[in-house]
Amino acid sequence: MAEDDRFIKLPPIEADRAVLIEDFTGQNCMNCPNAHEKIEELQKQYGADKVIAVSIHGGGMAISDRRPFGLMTQEGDEICNYYAIGRFPMGVIDGVTPPIDDAKWATAVYNDLQKPSEVQLEASAELMADGNTISCTANITSSEDGEGKIQFWVVESNIVALQKMPDGSTNDNYVHNNVFRAQVFPMRGNPVAFSRDGATANGTVDVRERWNLENVEIVAFVSDNNNIVQQVVKVPVKLTPDEQTPAE
């Protein structure tokens, strides 16, 4: 038997690429609403399932969630410090550093959307029976064996809270979307090995008092060991158990 005949060559796994924008923002940042609008424009252009944004409130422009209307969490501030964000708005596209200002986001998103992905990622999340815990699951498949990291982020939209505006005014009824609320694993995530056979990762996060679960979603993403995002998805949190058909 010829050497080339000893192996069955499998076709590559084709995965639609999605892009993660880590949007570093703050309620006292006058220019940040313009960056939020650019995210919305990119999502209209490519689809909200292809451009997945997480607005991370941290640093000197953010207001701590210890105040009634503040959106900065300790975890979000740690992510901001991880990237050494010193001015706002700034963004990290698919984990690539250094961070870039919002004028460069469109080009970076376009370029990353053109890249092939060997990783397929499916995720789900549900509120557990105790009503106080969200359980997250990710299924990862890859054309190539490899190692990386998996992370789940909790995001919430339709949060009405103050925001400084470009004209210098304060809008107390600004609608904040894609706001980072919590993470399941520390920093960039837990180790995971992936292959064509697939891998599964699970984690939980405690529900916090101020969350409106109707507006909460989970962003799951897989990174390589250099923290470059290979795939990302956003899924809703299932709040009620599936209805079971009674047995006859």
Side-chain angles (χ1 to χ4, degrees):
M1 180 181 293
E3 184 174 350
D4 290 344
D5 295 334
R6 295 177 185 174
F7 304 99
I8 299 173
K9 186 175 182 180
L10 298 173
I13 292 174
E14 295 182 1
D16 290 334
R17 164 75 70 174
V19 172
L20 174 64
I21 302 178
E22 296 174 62
D23 163 34
F24 292 95
T25 188
Q27 290 169 274
N28 286 319
C29 170
M30 294 171 54
N31 294 320
C32 287
N34 292 331
H36 302 162
E37 291 180 3
K38 289 181 181 180
I39 289 171
E40 292 176 358
E41 291 170 1
L42 289 167
Q43 290 177 328
K44 287 178 181 178
Q45 182 175 358
Y46 298 113
D49 61 331
K50 300 300 183 190
V51 178
I52 297 174
V54 179
S55 291
I56 301 172
H57 290 249
M61 291 292 177
I63 300 174
S64 171
D65 64 356
R66 291 191 293 271
R67 298 173 66 177
F69 47 79
L71 298 177
M72 180 182 75
T73 63
Q74 178 179 341
E75 293 164 314
D77 196 42
E78 289 172 355
I79 297 170
C80 186
N81 290 333
Y82 171 83
Y83 286 117
I85 303 296
R87 60 189 180 92
F88 299 83
M90 294 292 283
V92 173
I93 313 299
D94 277 344
V96 176
T97 56
I100 56 178
D101 63 51
D102 58 315
K104 300 176 182 177
W105 293 0
T107 299
V109 167
Y110 173 82
N111 289 339
D112 272 19
L113 284 171
Q114 310 311 307
K115 297 176 182 178
S117 176
E118 297 175 345
V119 176
Q120 285 184 336
L121 175 62
E122 297 178 349
S124 61
E126 63 179 345
L127 184 66
M128 298 179 70
D130 62 8
N132 298 315
T133 309
I134 296 172
S135 175
C136 305
T137 300
N139 296 309
I140 308 148
T141 309
S142 174
S143 296
E144 301 290 338
D145 292 352
E147 296 180 350
K149 300 172 185 176
I150 177 71
Q151 180 62 286
F152 301 97
W153 281 350
V154 181
V155 299
E156 184 178 352
S157 292
N158 299 316
I159 301 173
V160 177
L162 71 82
Q163 175 66 50
K164 289 286 183 67
M165 303 302 292
D167 63 2
S169 65
T170 298
N171 183 351
D172 291 327
N173 296 304
Y174 187 86
V175 179
H176 296 264
N177 291 316
N178 313 306
V179 175
F180 175 90
R181 287 303 214 180
Q183 60 191 14
V184 169
F185 303 125
M187 288 308 295
R188 303 313 289 177
N190 269 11
V192 64
F194 40 84
S195 66
R196 184 177 290 273
D197 294 333
T200 300
N202 299 283
T204 60
V205 61
D206 292 337
V207 174
R208 299 179 189 176
E209 183 178 359
R210 291 169 57 187
W211 297 356
N212 181 347
L213 290 176
E214 296 287 343
N215 296 327
V216 165
E217 296 173 290
I218 299 297
V219 172
F221 60 94
V222 174
S223 305
D224 64 19
N225 282 328
N226 294 316
N227 295 322
I228 305 302
V229 176
Q230 303 299 300
Q231 193 59 277
V232 56
V233 297
K234 183 165 73 171
V235 297
V237 177
K238 186 189 300 180
L239 300 181
T240 57
D242 292 331
E243 294 185 5
Q244 300 294 323
T245 303
E248 295 183 358

